[in-house]
């Protein structure tokens, strides 16, 4: 029983570190952040090449990343026009 608890504890710690991993995107060309993960979604923000946003999760939906906007809300940007990096965006102020 003690071995199971130890293994379970290691798994929980490992899984928690995966979930708490920070990511950010950088626009590799002009990009549109939309209100939903769809190319027909309403435009919320336009990015120019090199602009960065922190990412909610690195998991894509319909080839879109869910990102934090400067105003604290979230939006969606196509994975085709951005690059994903580990860590927090160095050029973006954290949103409260």
């Amino acid at each position: 029983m003690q071995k199971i608890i130890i293994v379970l504890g290691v798994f929980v710690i490992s899984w928690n570190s995966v979930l708490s991993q920070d990511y950010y995107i950088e626009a590799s060309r002009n990009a549109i952040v939309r209100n939903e993960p769809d190319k027909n979604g309403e435009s919320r923000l336009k990015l120019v090449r090199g602009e960065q946003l922190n990412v909610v999760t690195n998991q894509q939906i319909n080839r879109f990343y869910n990102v934090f906007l400067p105003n604290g809300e979230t939006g969606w940007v196509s994975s085709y026009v951005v690059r994903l990096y580990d860590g927090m965006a160095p050029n973006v102020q954290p949103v409260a």
Side-chain angles (χ1 to χ4, degrees):
M1 182 68 173
Q2 190 175 19
K3 287 181 182 178
I4 293 173
I5 292 172
I6 291 171
V7 170
L8 184 59
V10 170
F11 175 76
V12 169
I13 291 169
S14 298
W15 184 250
N16 188 36
S17 65
V18 168
L19 292 177
S20 65
Q21 177 69 42
D22 294 319
Y23 297 94
Y24 70 96
I25 55 95
E26 181 175 292
S28 52
R29 59 182 178 197
N30 291 348
I32 299 172
V33 180
R34 300 185 181 280
N35 68 333
E36 59 184 303
D38 186 279
K39 67 178 183 168
N40 297 317
E42 181 182 318
S43 174
R44 309 224 32 226
L45 179 70
K46 293 184 180 183
L47 301 175
V48 296
R49 183 180 181 173
E51 285 189 302
Q52 302 170 342
L53 292 174
N54 288 311
V55 176
V56 175
T57 177
N58 67 332
Q59 300 299 310
Q60 297 179 24
I61 295 180
N62 297 334
R63 301 206 187 274
F64 280 76
Y65 289 113
N66 192 205
V67 296
F68 291 107
L69 301 175
N71 65 3
E73 296 178 357
T74 61
W76 298 87
V77 64
S78 171
S79 64
Y80 293 117
V81 294
V82 299
R83 295 186 122 179
L84 181 70
Y85 296 97
D86 286 338
M88 297 293 286
N91 299 324
V92 175
Q93 294 297 320
V95 178

